[in-house]
mmCIF file of all heavy atoms in Angstrom:
data_model
loop_
_atom_site.group_PDB
_atom_site.id
_atom_site.type_symbol
_atom_site.label_atom_id
_atom_site.label_comp_id
_atom_site.label_asym_id
_atom_site.label_seq_id
_atom_site.Cartn_x
_atom_site.Cartn_y
_atom_site.Cartn_z
ATOM 1 N N LYS A 3 61.789 112.877 102.692
ATOM 2 C CA LYS A 3 61.857 111.480 103.026
ATOM 3 C C LYS A 3 62.202 110.672 101.817
ATOM 4 O O LYS A 3 62.892 109.615 101.883
ATOM 5 C CB LYS A 3 60.505 111.007 103.517
ATOM 6 C CG LYS A 3 60.178 111.457 104.953
ATOM 7 C CD LYS A 3 58.901 111.008 105.432
ATOM 8 C CE LYS A 3 58.590 111.467 106.875
ATOM 9 N NZ LYS A 3 57.349 110.951 107.449
ATOM 10 N N TRP A 10 69.540 105.950 101.303
ATOM 11 C CA TRP A 10 69.713 104.699 101.957
ATOM 12 C C TRP A 10 70.000 103.582 100.937
ATOM 13 O O TRP A 10 70.954 102.781 101.135
ATOM 14 C CB TRP A 10 68.488 104.327 102.855
ATOM 15 C CG TRP A 10 68.611 103.072 103.621
ATOM 16 C CD1 TRP A 10 69.134 103.000 104.906
ATOM 17 C CD2 TRP A 10 68.298 101.764 103.214
ATOM 18 N NE1 TRP A 10 69.121 101.731 105.291
ATOM 19 C CE2 TRP A 10 68.661 100.937 104.286
ATOM 20 C CE3 TRP A 10 67.755 101.175 102.041
ATOM 21 C CZ2 TRP A 10 68.478 99.511 104.192
ATOM 22 C CZ3 TRP A 10 67.617 99.832 101.933
ATOM 23 C CH2 TRP A 10 67.872 99.041 103.083
ATOM 24 N N VAL A 18 77.698 97.170 98.260
ATOM 25 C CA VAL A 18 77.698 95.980 97.399
ATOM 26 C C VAL A 18 78.782 96.097 96.377
ATOM 27 O O VAL A 18 79.625 95.136 96.214
ATOM 28 C CB VAL A 18 76.348 95.740 96.716
ATOM 29 C CG1 VAL A 18 76.483 94.670 95.577
ATOM 30 C CG2 VAL A 18 75.280 95.257 97.701
#
Side-chain angles (χ1 to χ4, degrees):
K3 287 183 181 182
W10 184 89
V18 167

